[in-house]
Amino acid sequence: MNVDAADKLKHRKGIVKIRLTKKDGSPIKDTEITVSQVKHKFLFGCGAFDSLPLANDELGENDKAKIEERFEKFFDIFNYATIPFYWGRFEPEKGKPDTNRLKKASEWLVSKGCLVKGHPLCWHTVTAPWLLDMSNEDILKAQLERINREVSDFKGLVDIWDVINEVVIMPIFDKYDNGITRICKELGRIRLVKEVFNEAKKANPEAILIINDFNTSISYEILIEGCLEAGIPIDAIGIQSHMHQGYWGVEKTLEVLERFSHFNIPLHFTENTLLSGHLMPPEIEDLNDYQIRDWPSTPDGEERQAMEIVQHYKTLFSHPMVESITWWNFCDENAWLGAPAGLLRRDNSCKPSYYELKKLIKDEWWTHPTRLVTSNTGEFEFTGFLGEYELVIDNIKLHFNLDKNSTLIEITV
Amino acid sequence: MNVDAADKLKHRKGIVKIRLTKKDGSPIKDTEITVSQVKHKFLFGCGAFDSLPLANDELGENDKAKIEERFEKFFDIFNYATIPFYWGRFEPEKGKPDTNRLKKASEWLVSKGCLVKGHPLCWHTVTAPWLLDMSNEDILKAQLERINREVSDFKGLVDIWDVINEVVIMPIFDKYDNGITRICKELGRIRLVKEVFNEAKKANPEAILIINDFNTSISYEILIEGCLEAGIPIDAIGIQSHMHQGYWGVEKTLEVLERFSHFNIPLHFTENTLLSGHLMPPEIEDLNDYQIRDWPSTPDGEERQAMEIVQHYKTLFSHPMVESITWWNFCDENAWLGAPAGLLRRDNSCKPSYYELKKLIKDEWWTHPTRLVTSNTGEFEFTGFLGEYELVIDNIKLHFNLDKNSTLIEITV
C-alpha cells in the first residue's frame, strides 16, 4: 500500500518501521510475517439501543435470536456504539436511575470490541418530567448531579459523551414546557454549555466531550465560537445529519465540513440517516411532526440509499477533521419515526446499503493481510489504514497500533 | 401629567420634587414658575451626512441655502446625529484621514444641541482599499490604530460609536475581497469584536460603544451572548431596520425586541428606513443589488410611510430597553439606493411622515410648558418626559435634568 501526496485518504494512513528482535536482543531477520488489520482507528459507529434488552436478558427466545443475529452483522462493520441516556427514560422516577441495565449493555458492547458513547447528558427533549416541579436553581443542580453521576459511574466503560444536544434551539424550544429549556433561557446558551461541560470534565477528565446539534447554520458556528472563547472544553463538534428529506449531496456536505473544520476540533457525524423509501415532504420543519402508519422500504429506495451512503461516507472519510461517523438506525425495526432508515430490513435481511458500507469499511478502507519478510536487521516497513493490527510470526500472534505518529515500533518476540 | 402604573410610557417619565431657595437659604414660596422641556433624554436621531459640506463651507450659494433649510427642519425634531466614518472615504489614502472636516461637522452639530455618533469604526464594506496590500497582522494593526486615532481625536465631541458593523456576515462576505473580511475570517468574529471594542474603550473609557447589525436572527443573538461571555464591553446593541421591502409590522418588531432585550443592555435602533414609494421586490437578498434609475415618492406611498412611521416609533418608544431610534435618510436627495426613504422630498418639502414624527416627538411625547406655584416651603412636584428642562421664575431662566433617578432637586436662585 502506498501513501502518496495525491492520495485523498493519506490522512487515514500511517507508515511505520517495525523492528522485531528476539529476547536475547538479536534481530529476527529474513523471516516471513503476516500483518492484518483488526480494527479501525476511525470510529465507524451506529446506534445500539437494542443492546439493552439483549444484554439484560429481557427477550423471549425468538426475539433474542433475532437481535443476536442483528448484532453479528453490526459487529461485522462497526467499532463504535451509541447507547441511550435520555434522562426521562433513564430516570423516569427521581432517584431511580437505570444505571445497571446501561452498564450491562455497555459491558457487552465493550466485550465485542466497541467503544461506547452515551447520548445525551443534557437535552430539552425526553428529559425528566419531574424537573417541572422544581425551581430553576434546583433543575440546574439536578442536571449537574446527574452528569456527575453518569459520567462517574460509567468511567472506563463509556468515555465518550454527547454532553449537550441541540443547544441552538434549546432556549426557544416551544413545543412544550420542560425543565431544560427553562434553565437554558435563564442562563443563556453558553453558560449552560459551560456548566454541563465543566461538570462532565470534572467527573472524567479523560472523556471525549461532544457538543451536538442538528442545526448546521451559522448560528451553531457562532455558538461554538462563543463556547470556545469562553474556555469550554469541547473535544469534538457533533453534527447530526438526519436526511429524511433527502441526501444533502456532496456540495452541501463539503460546505458544512469547511465551515465547521476551521475550529481545528475533530468533527463527529453523530446521527446519520438516509432512507430506503419515500422521502419526507420538504415542508415539514420538525421531523417529529411527520407521523405515518406505514413507511415501507422499496427496491428503488434501497438502490438510492446504497448509492447515497457510499457518496456520503466517502465525502466524510476524505475530510481530515472527521473522526467518526455514526449511522443512526441499524435496522428498520424500531427506527426513529418508523422510517426505512436502517441498513437492515425489519426481517434482518441486509439492504444493499449494508453491503456497500461493509465494502467500504472492511475492504476499500481496510488493510488486508499482507505477507512481508524482515530485513537482515529484523526490520520491515509497513503502510496501512490507521488502527489496530495483528502480526503473525511463526504462529505467534502479536498486536500493534498504527497511529499517525508512529515512526518506529520495536517488538520483542 | 400623570404617571400611573398602566401608563405604557411610564419608563419614559420621571417625577421629581424641586425646592427653590434664595441665596440666604429661605424658601421661594407661593411663587408662580413655568417649566418647559427643552430636550429629550431619549435619542431621536437621524443620519446627518450633509453636515460635512455645509459645516466645511464647501457648497455654492443655492446648495448652501437648501441644506441650511433642511437642517432647520432636522433640528426641529432630532437631538442626535450620525456622521460617516467609513474608512475607505475617511482615509482613501493611507495617512491622510479626513479628521478636520469631520471635526467641523461634529462641532457644528454639537453647537446645534445634538449628540453625535460616529459610524462605523470597523466594517468590511467601504473599507480602506489599501488594506488589500497588507498582511493580516498589519491589517489588524492598522484597524486598531485607526480606532485609537478616531476615538481619541473626537473625544468630547463624538462619544458614541458604532464600533463594529455587520459582524454576522463579516467573515463569510463574498461579494469582493477586502481586508476586514480577511482578518475576521482568521481571528473569528468574537476575537475581532473583542480587539476593536477593547481598543475603543482604551481610547475613550466614557464612550458608548455599539455593536451593530442588520441581521436580527438567532445568529446575532448568539454572537452577542458569546461577546458578553468573553467580557467585551458592549454598551448598546445596535439593530438596523432598513425596511425597503416593507414594514416589519408590530408583531415582528415586538419579537425582535423580546429576543434582544433579555441581555439587559440598551437597544439602539440605528438605521431605520420606511419608504414613501414602491417597495423593493422581496426576492432581492442584498438590498444593494436593487439599482433602478428612478424611485419616486408617491402620494399613496407617503400616506403609508406616515402611518408606518407612527406605528414603528410607538412600538419602539414603548419598550423600556430602547434608548435611541435613528432615522437613516432625512431627505430623498442623496438617499441610500436612491430610494424615497426621506422624511423630506428632494425639494425639501416635508412629507406627511415628517409631520407625524414631529407630532410624536415634540407634542405627544413632549412635556409642554407648565405653570406651577411653589408651596410655602418653596417646593413643587413635577412629572414629565425625561430630559432637559427650563424653569422660569421672575424672568430668570434655570435648567435642570429630569432623570429616572431624580427625587429631590434643590435650586438656589
Side-chain angles (χ1 to χ4, degrees):
Chain A
M1 178 184 279
N2 291 314
V3 187
D4 59 49
D7 185 353
K8 271 168 80 180
L9 296 178
K10 64 178 189 292
H11 53 282
R12 300 287 171 214
K13 296 174 186 170
I15 308 177
V16 69
K17 190 176 274 180
I18 296 184
R19 186 183 296 152
L20 298 175
T21 50
K22 296 182 195 155
K23 282 189 183 126
D24 65 7
S26 63
I28 301 175
K29 55 187 175 185
D30 306 324
T31 306
E32 194 181 278
I33 49 133
T34 310
V35 175
S36 322
Q37 184 167 12
V38 292
K39 199 187 269 189
H40 271 293
K41 176 178 198 279
F42 191 92
L43 299 175
F44 288 107
C46 192
F49 295 15
D50 286 347
S51 61
L52 265 88
L54 183 65
N56 287 280
D57 219 1
E58 294 160 358
L59 300 169
E61 209 174 318
N62 287 348
D63 280 348
K64 192 181 168 190
K66 190 163 91 173
I67 303 291
E68 275 176 343
E69 187 203 332
R70 196 172 289 168
F71 269 107
E72 275 173 39
K73 291 174 174 165
F74 184 107
F75 298 127
D76 261 1
I77 52 175
F78 295 124
N79 61 354
Y80 182 42
T82 298
I83 57 170
F85 280 84
Y86 304 107
W87 199 1
R89 290 182 200 147
F90 183 79
E91 192 181 6
E93 195 181 331
K94 187 163 160 51
K96 296 191 175 168
D98 203 15
T99 313
N100 290 338
R101 284 179 78 242
L102 269 290
K103 272 202 177 168
K104 280 207 175 135
S106 317
E107 283 160 0
W108 182 72
L109 289 163
V110 168
S111 78
K112 295 294 187 178
C114 279
L115 273 181
V116 181
K117 180 173 77 170
H119 167 85
L121 289 168
C122 177
W123 191 28
H124 53 274
T125 303
V126 206
T127 193
W130 40 265
L131 295 175
L132 288 168
D133 303 327
M134 298 162 67
S135 70
N136 282 4
E137 200 183 336
D138 287 342
I139 295 173
L140 178 64
K141 213 171 136 226
Q143 171 67 77
L144 298 182
E145 280 170 2
R146 165 232 188 354
I147 290 175
N148 177 54
R149 181 186 59 195
E150 269 69 278
V151 176
S152 302
D153 283 351
F154 287 83
K155 197 168 163 177
L157 209 49
V158 177
D159 294 325
I160 309 184
W161 291 96
D162 285 333
V163 179
I164 194 162
N165 204 28
E166 304 181 358
V167 195
V168 172
I169 205 179
M170 190 176 276
I172 51 170
F173 177 82
D174 59 3
K175 289 210 143 188
Y176 44 83
D177 188 14
N178 71 86
I180 303 306
T181 288
R182 285 189 198 165
I183 56 171
C184 191
K185 195 173 269 174
E186 184 177 329
L187 288 176
R189 293 176 180 88
I190 296 173
R191 281 202 201 166
L192 181 59
V193 176
K194 192 182 227 167
E195 293 277 0
V196 296
F197 267 77
N198 284 350
E199 195 67 21
K201 194 79 185 170
K202 227 166 43 190
N204 183 358
E206 305 305 318
I208 293 173
L209 305 181
I210 302 168
I211 184 169
N212 193 42
D213 215 303
F214 68 87
N215 187 315
T216 58
S217 78
I218 204 176
S219 299
Y220 188 34
E221 245 184 289
I222 296 176
L223 176 68
I224 292 167
E225 193 183 327
C227 289
L228 296 176
E229 289 297 324
I232 300 171
I234 296 174
D235 294 307
I237 295 165
I239 293 170
Q240 300 179 19
S241 46
H242 291 294
M243 297 177 277
H244 293 73
Q245 293 172 312
Y247 174 43
W248 285 0
V250 174
E251 198 183 348
K252 174 176 168 175
T253 311
L254 289 175
E255 185 255 334
V256 169
L257 286 166
E258 154 81 15
R259 285 194 292 109
F260 286 91
S261 61
H262 76 87
F263 296 110
N264 218 19
I265 286 177
L267 304 179
H268 286 212
F269 276 71
T270 52
E271 306 180 24
N272 292 272
T273 300
L274 287 162
L275 301 186
S276 67
H278 75 262
L279 300 180
M280 189 187 288
E283 63 271 17
I284 306 284
E285 278 191 27
D286 183 335
L287 302 188
N288 289 295
D289 291 341
Y290 189 67
Q291 303 277 355
I292 53 170
R293 207 184 171 83
D294 186 37
W295 198 342
S297 186
T298 63
D300 280 1
E302 292 183 358
E303 286 311 311
R304 189 192 61 226
Q305 186 198 38
M307 225 169 58
E308 290 172 347
I309 208 170
V310 168
Q311 195 69 79
H312 189 55
Y313 272 70
K314 279 189 169 176
T315 309
L316 298 181
F317 196 65
S318 298
H319 196 285
M321 289 311 295
V322 180
E323 208 168 60
S324 96
I325 312 173
T326 291
W327 191 256
W328 194 241
N329 291 117
F330 189 58
C331 180
D332 283 354
E333 195 177 51
N334 304 323
W336 181 43
L337 305 171
L343 305 175
L344 268 52
R345 302 184 194 93
R346 285 165 187 276
D347 63 0
N348 273 0
S349 61
C350 296
K351 298 182 190 172
S353 57
Y354 178 85
Y355 295 116
E356 290 297 332
L357 199 53
K358 187 171 174 181
K359 224 189 285 173
L360 288 178
I361 296 175
K362 284 299 183 67
D363 184 8
E364 196 174 323
W365 298 336
W366 187 255
T367 306
H368 293 279
T370 311
R371 294 168 80 166
L372 294 157
V373 175
T374 59
S375 70
N376 60 3
T377 55
E379 292 174 356
F380 67 93
E381 210 176 61
F382 174 75
T383 299
F385 282 100
L386 304 178
E388 216 176 299
Y389 282 82
E390 186 180 76
L391 188 156
V392 182
I393 174 169
D394 292 337
N395 295 322
I396 301 169
K397 289 180 178 176
L398 304 162
H399 276 76
F400 69 91
N401 264 307
L402 181 60
D403 216 325
K404 208 62 195 170
N405 309 320
S406 317
T407 47
L408 177 72
I409 300 178
E410 303 204 49
I411 303 176
T412 306
V413 183
Chain B
M1 178 183 282
N2 291 316
V3 187
D4 58 52
D7 185 352
K8 273 168 74 178
L9 296 178
K10 64 178 189 294
H11 53 282
R12 301 287 171 211
K13 297 173 186 170
I15 308 176
V16 69
K17 187 175 273 180
I18 296 184
R19 186 184 296 151
L20 299 175
T21 50
K22 296 180 193 158
K23 282 191 183 122
D24 66 6
S26 63
I28 301 176
K29 54 189 176 182
D30 308 322
T31 307
E32 193 180 281
I33 49 131
T34 311
V35 175
S36 322
Q37 184 167 11
V38 291
K39 198 187 271 191
H40 272 292
K41 177 178 197 280
F42 191 93
L43 299 175
F44 289 107
C46 192
F49 295 15
D50 285 347
S51 61
L52 265 87
L54 182 67
N56 287 280
D57 219 1
E58 294 160 357
L59 299 168
E61 208 173 320
N62 287 348
D63 280 349
K64 190 179 170 192
K66 189 163 89 172
I67 302 293
E68 275 177 343
E69 187 203 333
R70 197 172 289 170
F71 268 107
E72 275 176 39
K73 290 174 174 165
F74 183 108
F75 297 128
D76 261 2
I77 51 176
F78 295 123
N79 61 355
Y80 183 41
T82 297
I83 57 169
F85 279 83
Y86 304 107
W87 199 0
R89 290 181 198 147
F90 184 78
E91 192 180 5
E93 194 180 333
K94 186 163 160 49
K96 296 188 175 170
D98 203 16
T99 312
N100 289 339
R101 282 178 79 243
L102 270 289
K103 272 202 175 168
K104 278 203 176 139
S106 317
E107 283 161 359
W108 183 70
L109 290 164
V110 168
S111 79
K112 296 294 186 177
C114 279
L115 272 182
V116 181
K117 179 172 78 168
H119 168 85
L121 290 168
C122 178
W123 191 28
H124 51 275
T125 303
V126 204
T127 193
W130 40 266
L131 294 175
L132 287 169
D133 303 327
M134 297 162 68
S135 70
N136 282 5
E137 199 183 337
D138 287 343
I139 294 173
L140 177 64
K141 212 171 138 225
Q143 171 68 78
L144 298 181
E145 280 170 2
R146 168 239 193 341
I147 290 175
N148 176 55
R149 181 185 61 195
E150 268 70 276
V151 177
S152 302
D153 282 351
F154 287 82
K155 198 169 163 176
L157 210 49
V158 178
D159 295 324
I160 309 185
W161 292 96
D162 286 333
V163 179
I164 193 162
N165 203 27
E166 304 180 1
V167 195
V168 173
I169 205 179
M170 190 176 275
I172 51 170
F173 177 82
D174 59 3
K175 289 209 143 189
Y176 45 81
D177 187 16
N178 70 85
I180 303 306
T181 288
R182 286 190 198 166
I183 58 171
C184 192
K185 195 172 270 175
E186 183 176 330
L187 289 176
R189 294 176 179 88
I190 296 173
R191 281 204 200 165
L192 180 59
V193 176
K194 192 182 227 168
E195 293 276 2
V196 296
F197 267 78
N198 284 350
E199 194 68 23
K201 194 79 184 172
K202 225 166 46 188
N204 183 358
E206 305 304 317
I208 292 173
L209 305 181
I210 303 167
I211 184 169
N212 193 43
D213 215 303
F214 67 86
N215 187 315
T216 57
S217 79
I218 205 175
S219 299
Y220 188 34
E221 247 184 289
I222 296 176
L223 175 68
I224 292 167
E225 194 184 326
C227 289
L228 296 175
E229 289 297 324
I232 300 172
I234 295 174
D235 295 307
I237 295 167
I239 293 170
Q240 301 180 19
S241 46
H242 291 294
M243 298 177 276
H244 294 71
Q245 293 170 314
Y247 173 42
W248 286 1
V250 174
E251 199 183 346
K252 172 176 170 176
T253 310
L254 289 175
E255 186 254 335
V256 168
L257 286 167
E258 155 81 15
R259 285 193 293 111
F260 287 91
S261 61
H262 75 88
F263 295 109
N264 218 17
I265 287 177
L267 304 179
H268 285 211
F269 276 70
T270 52
E271 306 181 23
N272 293 272
T273 301
L274 287 162
L275 301 187
S276 67
H278 75 263
L279 300 180
M280 190 187 289
E283 64 271 17
I284 305 284
E285 279 191 27
D286 182 336
L287 302 189
N288 289 295
D289 291 340
Y290 189 67
Q291 302 277 355
I292 54 171
R293 208 185 169 83
D294 187 38
W295 198 343
S297 186
T298 63
D300 279 2
E302 292 184 358
E303 286 312 311
R304 189 193 61 227
Q305 185 198 39
M307 227 169 57
E308 290 172 348
I309 208 170
V310 169
Q311 194 70 77
H312 188 56
Y313 272 69
K314 279 188 169 175
T315 309
L316 298 180
F317 196 65
S318 298
H319 196 285
M321 288 311 295
V322 180
E323 208 168 60
S324 95
I325 312 173
T326 290
W327 190 256
W328 194 240
N329 290 117
F330 189 59
C331 180
D332 284 353
E333 195 176 53
N334 303 324
W336 182 42
L337 305 170
L343 305 175
L344 267 52
R345 303 184 194 92
R346 286 166 187 276
D347 64 0
N348 272 1
S349 62
C350 296
K351 297 182 191 173
S353 56
Y354 178 85
Y355 296 115
E356 290 298 331
L357 200 54
K358 186 170 174 180
K359 226 191 283 175
L360 288 178
I361 296 175
K362 284 301 185 65
D363 184 7
E364 197 175 322
W365 298 336
W366 187 255
T367 306
H368 293 279
T370 311
R371 294 167 78 164
L372 295 157
V373 175
T374 59
S375 70
N376 61 4
T377 56
E379 292 172 358
F380 68 95
E381 210 175 62
F382 175 72
T383 299
F385 283 99
L386 304 177
E388 216 176 298
Y389 282 82
E390 186 180 77
L391 186 158
V392 182
I393 173 169
D394 292 338
N395 294 322
I396 302 170
K397 290 180 179 177
L398 304 161
H399 276 76
F400 68 92
N401 263 306
L402 181 59
D403 216 323
K404 208 63 195 172
N405 309 320
S406 316
T407 48
L408 178 72
I409 300 178
E410 304 204 50
I411 302 175
T412 305
V413 182

